[in-house]
């Protein structure tokens, strides 16, 4: 069971993509506006819609696909509900402001772990996930998986094994400093 936290039409694209990749998983889409999300999901099967809190409470794996500027304030609000959960950070810097937000000394995934010390943060970064394609020109995209919690990282790697991606165990969370920049520059 996996919760996906992402809003609006972007959230629908993420949910649809993950739904296709993880066909055997139960997916809960956690959103601000459940009515709007249900309207967007018309005709989609295998996904339920609920509030952020309900989605988090019902799942041990929580994928978060939010812009950098929204992610850390969101984590402040939902920290108590995220205790003990594996939180999969899908965020990548998309703008020049995003790339400057954390500098070279840290990454969003590291900052998320600081905000959520009782959660198990795993970075899962793919060069083309923001475009939501598994392949480009016949070559599988790479998912770089990082965490300071080896067991949580192993679970996420197993989750994505069935996907149309090449999975790379990229080490600890600090490796996101380079991965985020590399992905945001489009060099993979």
């Amino acid at each position: 069971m996996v919760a996906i936290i992402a809003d609006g039409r972007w959230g629908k694209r993420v949910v649809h993509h993950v739904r296709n990749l993880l066909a055997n998983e139960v997916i809960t889409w956690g959103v601000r506006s459940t009515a709007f999300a249900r309207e967007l999901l018309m005709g989609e099967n295998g996904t339920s819609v609920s509030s952020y809190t309900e989605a988090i409470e019902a799942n041990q794996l929580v994928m978060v696909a939010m812009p950098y500027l929204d992610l850390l304030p969101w984590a402040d609000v939902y920290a108590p509900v995220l205790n003990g959960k594996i939180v999969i950070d899908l965020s990548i810097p998309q703008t020049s402001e995003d790339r400057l937000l954390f500098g070279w000394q840290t990454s969003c995934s590291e900052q998320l772990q600081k905000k959520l010390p009782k959660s198990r943060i795993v970075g899962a970064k793919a060069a083309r996930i923001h475009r939501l394609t598994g392949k480009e020109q016949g070559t599988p995209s790479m998912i770089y998986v990082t965490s300071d919690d080896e067991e949580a990282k192993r679970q996420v790697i197993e989750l994505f094994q069935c996907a149309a991606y090449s999975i790379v165990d990229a080490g600890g969370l600090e490796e996101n400093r380079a991965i985020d920049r590399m992905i945001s520059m489009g060099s993979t």
Side-chain angles (χ1 to χ4, degrees), residues 60-64 79 81-89 109 112-124 146-156 173:
Q60 284 303 307
L61 291 170
V62 179
M63 288 186 187
V64 184
V81 190
L82 290 163
N83 283 343
K85 307 284 182 172
I86 295 175
V87 178
I88 304 168
D89 172 24
S109 296
L112 191 58
Q113 183 67 76
K114 287 180 183 177
K115 292 264 186 192
L116 303 171
K118 296 180 181 177
S119 299
R120 302 160 69 195
I121 306 302
V122 177
T146 60
S147 185
D148 294 337
D149 182 315
E150 289 297 322
E151 177 58 24
K153 183 170 39 171
R154 184 191 62 74
Q155 287 181 36
V156 172
L173 289 176

Side-chain angles (χ1 to χ4, degrees), residues 13-116:
R13 291 174 65 197
V14 172
V15 167
H16 181 74
H17 183 69
V18 173
R19 167 84 278 136
N20 288 337
L21 290 176
L22 308 176
N24 297 325
E25 291 292 326
V26 175
I27 306 277
T28 304
W29 184 13
V31 294
R32 282 185 303 239
S33 171
T34 56
F36 182 59
R38 283 189 182 103
E39 184 180 309
L40 288 174
L41 273 184
M42 295 282 260
E44 292 251 355
N45 294 322
T47 303
S48 62
V49 176
S50 65
S51 70
Y52 290 153
T53 302
E54 292 168 338
I56 295 165
E57 287 175 343
N59 296 278
Q60 284 303 307
L61 291 170
V62 179
M63 288 186 187
V64 184
M66 288 186 169
Y68 266 24
L69 292 173
D70 297 336
L71 184 58
L72 297 181
W74 175 86
D76 286 335
V77 173
Y78 293 95
V81 190
L82 290 163
N83 283 343
K85 307 284 182 172
I86 295 175
V87 178
I88 304 168
D89 172 24
L90 301 177
S91 69
I92 57 170
Q94 305 238 347
T95 66
S96 58
E97 291 83 16
D98 287 346
R99 286 188 285 278
L100 296 173
L101 189 61
F102 298 114
W104 288 97
Q105 302 305 312
T106 190
S107 67
C108 192
S109 296
E110 289 172 283
Q111 292 304 307
L112 191 58
Q113 183 67 76
K114 287 180 183 177
K115 292 264 186 192
L116 303 171

